Amino acid sequence: MAKEKNETPTVKKTPMASKEKPKKLKKPKTTTHPPYFQMIKEALMNLKEKNGSSPYAIAKQIEEKYKPLLPENFRKTLSLQLKNSVAKGKLVKIRASYKLSETTTRTTRQQQKKKMETRSKKTVSKPEMVTTKKKRKAKKPRQLKSIKSPGSKKVLRASAS
């Protein structure tokens, strides 16, 4: 006895069939909040803790300021940003806390000074002092005694004898 085949019609996939499905349009990701590192830096500066601030305290500080602008997965993204900032050297991890590295604090202080200078220049102009630096003359490299030409050694030996 022959086996009976299931005679269900098979539908072949054609390019037309795949085009019929409407593609879901992805919403562009637009962030209205500032970059994460900037928010972290502001939070650390506001907290002013000597040994650094915990991720929980940083998150709480950021949430207070940017609550309506933050996405749902904010805390997860924040922890990744903290780890990446430590890897880049922008933050220093002390036990379970984070604080700004010295290079980051220097740059922020310099930026604050520049802002203060631009504000003061608008009100009062300061005379600038011109300084000139003297350039040093490049010294010629000396030739080592062992490298000197062999002809000069013969002359020295002849004059010695």
Side-chain angles (χ1 to χ4, degrees):
M1 296 202 191
K3 293 183 180 178
E4 294 181 21
K5 293 183 180 178
N6 289 341
E7 295 186 21
T8 57
T10 57
V11 179
K12 293 183 180 179
K13 291 186 178 181
T14 60
M16 298 287 274
S18 64
K19 288 184 181 178
E20 290 175 7
K21 293 181 182 179
K23 293 184 179 179
K24 293 181 182 179
L25 296 175
K26 293 183 180 179
K27 294 181 181 178
K29 294 181 181 181
T30 56
T31 57
T32 54
H33 60 82
Y36 275 92
F37 183 72
Q38 184 178 348
M39 292 191 294
I40 293 168
K41 186 168 58 172
E42 289 174 3
L44 289 171
M45 292 184 127
N46 289 340
L47 291 169
K48 297 180 184 176
E49 294 181 17
K50 185 178 180 181
N51 295 328
S53 303
S54 68
Y56 177 78
I58 295 169
K60 191 174 179 181
Q61 186 79 21
I62 293 172
E63 277 184 344
E64 287 175 4
K65 192 168 184 179
Y66 300 104
K67 179 74 174 180
L69 306 175
L70 296 173
E72 293 176 12
N73 63 349
F74 154 73
R75 289 187 183 258
K76 192 173 214 175
T77 309
L78 177 69
S79 66
L80 286 171
Q81 291 294 325
L82 287 170
K83 289 176 186 175
N84 290 340
S85 297
V86 169
K88 291 178 183 175
K90 294 179 179 180
L91 294 177
V92 177
K93 187 173 183 180
I94 302 171
R95 296 183 190 167
S97 300
Y98 297 91
K99 74 176 193 177
L100 293 171
S101 67
E102 291 179 15
T103 56
T104 308
T105 54
R106 287 181 192 157
T107 56
T108 55
R109 287 180 187 161
Q110 289 173 352
Q111 290 172 352
Q112 289 174 353
K113 286 180 183 179
K114 287 180 182 179
K115 288 179 183 177
M116 293 299 289
E117 287 177 3
T118 55
R119 290 179 189 163
S120 64
K121 284 182 181 179
K122 290 178 183 176
T123 57
V124 180
S125 61
K126 296 179 182 179
E128 296 181 17
M129 296 182 70
V130 179
T131 58
T132 57
K133 294 182 180 180
K134 294 181 181 179
K135 294 182 181 178
R136 293 184 180 178
K137 293 181 181 178
K139 293 183 179 179
K140 294 181 181 177
R142 294 182 183 175
Q143 192 175 18
L144 297 175
K145 292 180 181 178
S146 61
I147 300 176
K148 286 188 179 179
S149 64
S152 61
K153 287 182 183 178
K154 290 179 182 176
V155 172
L156 289 174
R157 286 182 190 159
S159 62
S161 33

